[in-house]
Amino acid sequence: MQFNENDQIKHSSKGIEHECAGGFVFFEDRQTHKLFVALLRKTNSYYLIPKGHIKKNEEPQTAAIREIKEELSLTETLKNISFLKIDSYTFTLDDTNIIHYKNVYLYVFQSDEKIEIKPQIDEGFETAEWIPFEEAVEKISFDRENLLRARQCFYYNKPIKI
């Protein structure tokens, strides 16, 4: 995990507090209505959604868009479908006893096309893939419940084309 002096990170007596943002990027095939989600695979084989630290004075939604574009190597603009939730959890790194408290602002986005995505190699990602939703539910490492909620949010809030 890389930290930057501009990241919203607070050190306190209870541990380290992180403010992060990211999201679920969906593509729905217009012909088959098959749903795909963009996931990243780390070198340790974990499948993850794109997310990262919010910068100082940055809004969570802006950070989510920036992190998704960076980690998927996108130049295209995605449609923001909805805010999903703030996911909060704790963890420790390596052999330290320092507790990290993480708040992740999660959003749901749509791509109108199955655009080319590539992993951000210097962040430890091996691949970026459009994975069929059913497979993604099985492969995703930490956000399975949030992925299910994101799909529901996507279908409920996506623009209807007539």
Side-chain angles (χ1 to χ4, degrees):
M1 180 175 291
Q2 298 175 354
F3 304 124
N4 182 304
E5 66 182 34
N6 292 323
D7 292 340
Q8 283 192 36
I9 299 173
K10 295 178 188 168
H11 297 267
S12 70
S13 59
K14 68 178 189 174
I16 301 174
E17 300 172 32
H18 304 258
E19 295 294 319
C20 299
F24 298 88
V25 181
F26 291 108
F27 163 72
E28 183 180 19
D29 186 289
R30 288 184 188 102
Q31 306 294 317
T32 65
H33 297 285
K34 188 170 187 170
L35 188 64
F36 295 85
V37 62
L39 293 180
L40 294 155
R41 190 179 74 222
K42 293 283 259 184
T43 53
N44 60 10
S45 298
Y46 287 141
Y47 281 86
L48 309 167
I49 61 169
K51 65 182 178 208
H53 285 100
I54 299 171
K55 304 289 183 201
K56 292 176 183 167
N57 300 317
E58 184 178 39
E59 293 297 319
Q61 181 177 325
T62 304
I65 293 166
R66 177 182 50 76
E67 285 292 338
I68 289 168
K69 289 180 94 169
E70 286 175 7
E71 293 189 350
L72 296 177
S73 303
L74 296 178
T75 55
E76 295 83 1
T77 301
L78 301 169
K79 288 182 184 170
N80 183 356
I81 300 298
S82 180
F83 172 73
L84 184 64
K85 68 178 279 194
I86 298 173
D87 195 25
S88 300
Y89 55 92
T90 61
F91 63 94
T92 58
L93 293 174
D94 303 325
D95 297 334
T96 68
N97 290 329
I98 300 171
I99 298 174
H100 293 256
Y101 299 88
K102 197 167 196 175
N103 292 319
V104 184
Y105 294 76
L106 294 171
Y107 294 85
V108 178
F109 295 93
Q110 177 182 0
S111 176
D112 286 335
E113 299 179 33
K114 202 175 191 183
I115 52 181
E116 182 181 0
I117 56 177
K118 293 184 266 186
Q120 190 178 18
I121 302 297
D122 62 341
E123 289 281 332
F125 298 114
E126 281 186 333
T127 63
E129 304 173 53
W130 286 107
I131 299 178
F133 181 82
E134 296 77 16
E135 289 179 40
V137 170
E138 298 302 318
K139 288 183 174 185
I140 197 164
S141 298
F142 301 108
D143 282 306
R144 186 170 290 125
E145 184 178 315
N146 289 330
L147 175 58
L148 293 169
R149 282 187 180 145
R151 177 186 63 174
Q152 183 178 17
C153 185
F154 173 77
Y155 282 129
Y156 184 76
N157 294 297
K158 75 176 182 170
I160 299 173
K161 293 185 180 178
I162 298 175

